[in-house]
Amino acid sequence: MADSVAATGRLQRLWRGRTTRRLRRHRLFMTGLVLFAVFVVVGLLADVLAPTSPNAMSLRNRFQSPGAHFPFGTDNFGRDVLSRVIHGARVSLLVGLFVAALTTVFGVIIGAVAGYFSRLDAPVIGVMDAFMAFPTILLAIGISTALGP
């Protein structure tokens, strides 16, 4: 019990710190934080929040415009677009977490190797500079061309 009280006190002191005080006053940061929190909650509660199954087809309801029954409308198979967006939030969160974890692991490994072996430092920096200088959209177009549709 005493440990949880001490941990709560440490968290309160951290939240009252100068940096967090500045962040709490920054409107764009707080807006982004709230939107991210909503996105996470929607992703975690997708099964509860989605009005229908994202894959349930109803050919009778094809191409319905947005309305009371289908707030985002339906697609060419009669699937509810809102349900698909809500369930897509979960997939996007998982992909984002996986990519962040993967890049962290590989970044630490490559950085450690380049730092330990000084001969590799300049080539690794050159390769990373080339990656960062290359326009992302051209890289995406090149990869999709090479791999096909």
Side-chain angles (χ1 to χ4, degrees):
M1 179 72 176
D3 289 339
S4 65
V5 172
T8 304
R10 283 192 298 263
L11 286 174
Q12 287 175 348
R13 282 193 303 276
L14 177 68
W15 185 248
R16 290 184 196 139
R18 188 176 82 178
T19 304
T20 55
R21 188 170 46 248
R22 289 180 66 198
L23 287 176
R24 284 185 295 168
R25 291 181 185 157
H26 198 276
R27 286 185 185 166
L28 287 177
F29 173 78
M30 291 307 291
T31 303
L33 184 65
V34 167
L35 288 174
F36 180 71
V38 167
F39 190 75
V40 168
V41 168
V42 167
L44 292 175
L45 299 176
D47 293 329
V48 177
L49 296 175
T52 61
S53 171
N55 296 323
M57 290 189 276
S58 172
L59 296 178
R60 190 178 316 169
N61 292 323
R62 291 173 18 150
F63 298 116
Q64 293 288 321
S65 61
H69 194 332
F70 299 111
F72 284 10
T74 61
D75 64 2
N76 56 338
F77 293 112
R79 298 175 296 201
D80 184 21
V81 175
L82 176 63
S83 297
R84 295 178 68 79
V85 168
I86 289 173
H87 279 276
R90 176 182 292 171
V91 174
S92 296
L93 282 172
L94 289 174
V95 168
L97 286 172
F98 180 73
V99 167
L102 199 64
T103 56
T104 300
V105 167
F106 282 115
V108 167
I109 291 170
I110 292 170
V113 168
Y116 187 74
F117 300 107
S118 59
R119 288 185 180 194
L120 294 177
D121 190 26
V124 168
I125 289 174
V127 169
M128 295 315 297
D129 284 344
F131 276 135
M132 293 177 70
F134 201 76
T136 309
I137 190 71
L138 288 178
L139 181 64
I141 290 171
I143 291 173
S144 64
T145 302
L147 296 179

